[in-house]
Amino acid sequence: MSRSRAPATVRPPAGSRNRRVLSSEGGAGIAGTRQTGSGRDNASGYAAGFTIVIPLLLGAALGYVLGLLVDQELLLLPLGALAGLVFGFYAVYVRFIR
C-alpha cells in the first residue's frame, strides 16, 4: 500500500489582489477587531504591567525574607509589597509618562 500525500499549498504572489491587509482604518481583522497603532504600542501595556507586578513580588519576597530574620515576617511582607508597588508605579511613570 502506498501513502498518498496531500498536495502542497500554494501561496499567492506578494502583489496579489486577494491578499488581506490589516490597517488601523478598520480594514480586515479578526472578528471585527480593530488594529490601533503599531505592535510596539500594543506591547507597552504588557511592559507597564510587568513593570508594576515584578517589583511588587520582589518587594514582598524581600520583606518576607527580612521578616524571617527578625521574626516579623507577617508584618514586613505587606510593607515590602507596598514598597514594591510604589516603586513599580514610579518606574512606569519615569519610563512611559515623563
Side-chain angles (χ1 to χ4, degrees), residues 3-85:
R3 294 184 183 179
S4 63
R5 293 188 175 197
T9 56
V10 178
R11 291 185 177 183
S16 174
R17 284 184 275 163
N18 295 331
R19 196 173 103 199
R20 296 179 73 180
V21 178
L22 295 175
S23 71
S24 62
E25 306 292 312
I30 299 173
T33 60
R34 190 169 175 189
Q35 294 280 334
T36 56
S38 67
R40 183 170 188 251
D41 293 338
N42 293 337
S44 66
Y46 290 115
F50 280 117
T51 305
I52 293 172
V53 171
I54 298 298
L56 176 101
L57 295 175
L58 291 176
L62 183 64
Y64 182 74
V65 169
L66 290 176
L68 283 175
L69 297 175
V70 294
D71 291 331
Q72 295 292 324
E73 61 270 358
L74 293 180
L75 175 66
L76 293 181
L77 184 136
L79 291 177
L82 181 64
L85 184 68

